[in-house]
Every structure is written in structure tokens, then in C-alpha cells.
Amino acid sequence: MKKALLITPMSKNIIQDDSYDYIGVDSGALLLMEAKIPMRFAVGDFDSMTEDEFQRLQGTCQIIRHPVQKNETDSELAVSLCKKKGYDEIVLYGALSGRIDHTFANIRLLMYRYPHLVLLDDHQKITLLSKGEHVIKKAYTHVSFFALEDTIITLEGFTYPLYKEPITVKDIFCVSNSIVHEEAKVTLDIGKVLCIQSNVK
């Protein structure tokens, strides 16, 4: 499996995992360079770094530079390029930090265009679950589910279990659950949900 870890400018503590290819998103490439982590490539308009910093970046990896005035976000361009390059798993790190409009844009990328995208920061993770069974490890304190369409959900091994419960896009009662033991199971008979895991109090 080909896996990509996209490091955005909002990344704080960079995960080091040799099973991933590292991709720099805009000035996230500087963070990788300073951490001495090799990159496959860097993509963005690079408007959040100085020209001197950009010159330092050149020669460290392939650089795909886009104009500042464009229709896509830098994260969107990076995710799209990774898909074209055949990556099976794409993790967008720092995707849930910083400006709320960029955070919302990243969530919409997951919801409507890249269902296997993983949105991650130091304390939170968002994935999309579709019809079927899903095992979730106890890595976060809070786990919430939000329907993206009419869904029937069963939660086993949670503090607040459910059995074949219908939920709609208007419902928010699946917020702030927790896993009882080491793992729990989510079954979707129909539909799909956002799974939001968080360690934020």
C-alpha cells in the first residue's frame, strides 16, 4: 500500500513513520526540511514563506509551484496530486488547526471528494465511515458520529451503545461518546457518517 503524509503549515509535532512518503504543503515543506525529514515533493503557492526560504527549499525535492491567485487551496492541490500519483492512503496533517474556513474546506474534501482521506492534528482525527463494519481502537477520549445521509448505525463497546438506530443529517445526539475497552465496533446498515475522534477537553 502506498501511503502519503501531507505536512501542512499548521503541523506542530510531525509524526515520523517510515511507512509514509512525506509531502510538503506550502510552508509545511520548511517544517520537514528543518526536521531533516526527506520529502517526495512539495506543492503549493509558497506565499507563506520568504523568497530566501523558498530558495533554501529548492534542491531538496521536486517542487510543484502554483500561482497565488487560484481556485484551489494548497491542501486540495496536494491531495489531488497524491491521488494522481496512486497513493492509497492520504493523511492530511494539521488539517484541523488554524483558520476555520480552511478546516471546513478540508472536511468538505473528505465528505464530497476523497472519502478515504484522513484529517489529523495533534489532538483530533476525522475519517469517513461508509456501509459495513468498522473497528475503532481506543486512541482518543471522545468519539462522535455525524450522518452525511440517512443512516442506520449500531455502536458496540461504547459508553452509549446503539442498535440499528436511524440517524439523519439533522441529528447530533451521537456526539461525545467514548470507547469502553481497547476497541469498539461501528456497523452501518446503510448510509455514511463522519467519525470525529478527539482528546480535546
Side-chain angles (χ1 to χ4, degrees):
M1 176 183 284
K2 245 181 126 178
K3 302 195 294 183
L5 183 54
L6 281 57
I7 303 300
T8 71
M10 298 306 300
S11 304
K12 295 177 182 176
N13 300 306
I14 299 176
I15 303 165
Q16 298 206 30
D17 187 331
D18 292 339
S19 67
Y20 286 91
D21 288 344
Y22 284 81
I23 316 300
V25 181
D26 199 67
S27 61
L30 279 181
L31 300 177
L32 286 168
M33 188 172 66
E34 290 164 359
K36 296 181 171 56
I37 299 174
M39 287 169 274
R40 288 288 180 176
F41 56 88
V43 60
D45 55 28
F46 303 102
D47 66 340
S48 56
M49 64 174 70
T50 66
E51 194 58 34
D52 180 62
E53 288 171 331
F54 183 74
Q55 293 299 324
R56 285 171 49 209
L57 180 63
Q58 289 183 313
T60 63
C61 66
Q62 179 189 9
I63 296 175
I64 300 96
R65 191 172 195 177
H66 292 267
V68 174
Q69 293 185 340
K70 58 189 186 302
N71 294 325
E72 305 86 1
T73 66
D74 290 331
S75 293
E76 179 183 358
L77 291 167
V79 172
S80 176
L81 186 56
C82 284
K83 288 299 291 183
K84 290 175 183 174
K85 287 181 175 289
Y87 285 96
D88 305 292
E89 180 180 328
I90 303 172
V91 178
L92 187 59
Y93 187 62
L96 306 174
S97 308
R99 283 170 47 182
I100 194 167
D101 54 344
H102 280 276
T103 298
F104 191 54
N106 293 332
I107 294 171
R108 288 176 68 85
L109 285 177
L110 169 63
M111 289 170 58
Y112 299 116
R113 292 173 51 190
Y114 303 107
H116 300 297
L117 181 64
V118 177
L119 305 180
L120 189 68
D121 69 9
D122 285 349
H123 305 292
Q124 301 181 104
K125 176 181 179 181
I126 303 181
T127 54
L128 189 151
L129 306 182
S130 55
K131 180 181 176 182
E133 293 185 357
H134 307 270
V135 174
I136 300 177
K137 302 290 185 182
K138 188 175 184 177
Y140 294 86
T141 306
H142 309 290
V143 187
S144 301
F145 303 95
F146 298 94
L148 300 180
E149 60 190 37
D150 288 349
T151 299
I152 296 177
I153 189 169
T154 297
L155 300 179
E156 300 173 80
F158 287 87
T159 302
Y160 305 105
L162 291 173
Y163 181 72
K164 294 187 179 297
E165 184 73 25
I167 57 174
T168 72
V169 295
K170 296 180 180 179
D171 292 318
I172 59 171
F173 64 84
C174 289
V175 71
S176 201
N177 211 328
S178 58
I179 296 173
V180 177
H181 299 298
E182 294 305 309
E183 61 182 34
K185 187 166 77 169
V186 180
T187 304
L188 303 180
D189 291 347
I190 61 169
K192 56 186 178 180
V193 298
L194 282 182
C195 173
I196 302 178
Q197 302 178 69
S198 177
N199 282 328
V200 178
K201 292 182 180 181

